Amino acid sequence: MAFSIPTISLSKPKQETVQALRDASLTSGFFQLTDIEPHVSRELILQMFDETRKFFQLPSSEKEKVTKRNHLVGGYEGFRFYDLAKTGDGGKKGEVDDEDGGWNEGFAIAPEWGTNCFPQANPSDNKMEGIDAFDPATFEATCKAYFHAVQELGRHLLSLIAQGLGIEQDFFEGYLDHQNSFCRLTHYYRADTEGAPTPTKVEIGAAPHTDWGALTLLVQDEIGGLQVYDRALNQWHDVPPHPLGTGIVCNIGDLLARWTNNKYRSTLHRVLAPKRGVHRYSIPFFNPGNPSFPIKTIYTCLAEGETPQFDTITAGEYITSKHMESTGAKKV
Ligand SMILES: O=C(O)CCC(=O)C(=O)O
Ligand SMILES: [Fe+2]
């Protein structure tokens, strides 16, 4: 079957959506959601992207004041904070120069982490010539509103996914009841340095990787660059952007693959760097979940006589190990 990333409308009858989510999870592991308006309004997405752009336009010295201290708090992550190529089979494909990955900077937000990860008001520092003024209070309020809207949509989708797996609708509630979900506002950029040699290999914004949690919900702007790996044809497949605010890209993460004995696909994906001088913004929402929740193969995912491919592990153990692989960070 040809590889495709299906579009799933949230305005269809529930049973149809449950089936469409199941089919997509079993095949590409990626789908594009449309008709999201009752859950996350277009206006809120546009506002969030506006705030994101203003934040990243701040001078580095301002952004660095809110640098992320460890993986349990939010904050700013400078260029090349993560080396996703180290987290799995992503870096081994030989298409990418080792030195040429990770042309992105990020800001991780999670209201549960408290407010001290957000920039504090300091009007004289937070203004740059020629660009819109950055107002920390508006930034924080928008981040929180956006986060809560996407978090609730994620919860809704996981209840539909549970139904598609033939298990109790609230199966994932225990995973979500103490969630460590976060959004990573992301800015992809590679300066257009005059006289720089023409790249001989693809330039990478985010190295090939799989996502670690249950389900990722991503809003990307209209620049494009996200690609998904088609194992059967051994080639990369573009995930075309929708007009900003009208769609959300979702993908199954490693924990759902483990829960389902690898039936639901945690698919390798990457982001090409935008053309030099072009800015790209995207905002993924990740839900790594309750750290003490056990990730044990779901009984409906084992045929008679089939054995689990993975040992039971807690969500926290898995996510922490991935975080450490990708950043070289010490356990906190
Ligand atoms: O920016 C994108 O399109 C995808 C980013 C991504 O895959 C990630 O942050 O895990
Ligand atoms: Fe990803």
Side-chain angles (χ1 to χ4, degrees):
M1 199 171 70
F3 188 88
S4 72
I5 295 168
T7 297
I8 300 179
S9 160
L10 284 178
S11 66
K12 293 273 161 53
K14 184 165 114 184
Q15 210 40 47
E16 220 175 289
T17 312
V18 166
Q19 190 58 45
L21 292 173
R22 178 169 172 81
D23 292 344
S25 306
L26 287 166
T27 52
S28 58
F30 265 79
F31 46 93
Q32 302 239 39
L33 286 180
T34 55
D35 301 308
I36 56 175
E37 184 73 30
H39 301 271
V40 189
S41 76
R42 179 163 175 271
E43 195 190 341
L44 181 57
I45 293 176
L46 296 184
Q47 199 185 347
M48 187 67 250
F49 272 71
D50 205 34
E51 290 301 319
T52 299
R53 182 177 50 78
K54 287 188 212 165
F55 173 77
F56 286 117
Q57 283 177 343
L58 291 172
S60 300
S61 56
E62 283 306 313
K63 292 184 280 195
E64 281 159 10
K65 283 184 189 161
V66 285
T67 292
K68 185 176 161 99
R69 305 280 164 222
N70 64 54
H71 74 287
L72 300 176
V73 297
Y76 175 66
E77 301 162 337
F79 281 94
R80 300 174 149 215
F81 182 87
Y82 286 104
D83 185 357
L84 291 169
K86 290 190 187 138
T87 61
D89 45 359
K92 299 187 191 126
K93 294 178 56 55
E95 296 166 331
V96 179
D97 287 324
D98 278 353
E99 294 304 310
D100 186 34
W103 289 107
N104 72 73
E105 57 180 341
F107 182 79
I109 53 162
E112 283 82 356
W113 286 330
T115 53
N116 56 3
C117 66
F118 288 102
Q120 300 301 306
N122 189 346
S124 60
D125 285 349
N126 285 332
K127 289 221 166 88
M128 276 177 82
E129 295 256 321
I131 61 165
D132 312 329
F134 174 78
D135 172 14
T138 308
F139 176 72
E140 184 172 335
T142 308
C143 286
K144 287 180 171 169
Y146 179 85
F147 177 89
H148 287 301
V150 179
Q151 181 182 45
E152 282 316 302
L153 176 56
R155 183 188 296 278
H156 175 61
L157 291 172
L158 280 175
S159 81
L160 299 176
I161 286 176
Q163 291 171 64
L165 288 167
I167 53 178
E168 312 77 55
Q169 188 172 326
D170 63 356
F171 176 88
F172 294 107
E173 281 301 314
Y175 173 78
L176 295 175
D177 72 356
H178 177 104
Q179 54 178 307
N180 286 312
S181 302
F182 64 98
C183 286
R184 184 172 194 262
L185 316 182
T186 314
H187 173 216
Y188 293 86
Y189 185 66
R190 178 135 206 204
D192 186 9
T193 323
E194 240 179 272
T198 313
T200 52
K201 294 191 174 183
V202 284
E203 293 198 289
I204 289 295
H209 65 281
T210 57
D211 290 349
W212 311 334
L215 184 71
T216 301
L217 281 73
L218 171 97
V219 178
Q220 60 170 336
D221 69 10
E222 289 157 35
I223 300 293
L226 174 61
Q227 295 188 318
V228 174
Y229 187 60
D230 173 359
R231 289 184 308 167
L233 292 183
N234 185 25
Q235 67 189 22
W236 292 98
H237 190 99
D238 287 328
V239 182
H242 283 214
L244 184 59
T246 62
I248 295 189
V249 181
C250 294
N251 61 290
I252 300 293
D254 295 349
L255 293 185
L256 253 175
R258 291 178 81 103
W259 261 312
T260 60
N261 216 25
N262 234 358
K263 294 190 170 59
Y264 281 18
R265 300 256 169 234
S266 179
T267 302
L268 199 63
H269 54 284
R270 70 179 186 183
V271 182
L272 300 180
K275 283 200 200 85
R276 290 189 187 221
V278 173
H279 299 265
R280 174 183 188 260
Y281 298 95
S282 72
I283 307 181
F285 167 87
F286 301 106
N287 51 7
N290 180 346
S292 58
F293 198 83
I295 313 299
K296 179 172 187 288
T297 313
I298 294 171
Y299 68 98
T300 59
C301 299
L302 287 173
E304 205 161 321
E306 189 182 341
T307 47
Q309 291 182 31
F310 306 101
D311 293 335
T312 301
I313 188 173
T314 64
E317 282 166 340
Y318 186 76
I319 302 291
T320 303
S321 73
K322 286 296 191 180
H323 183 88
M324 291 196 301
E325 274 174 34
S326 65
T327 61
K330 300 224 169 22
K331 204 168 179 157
V332 289

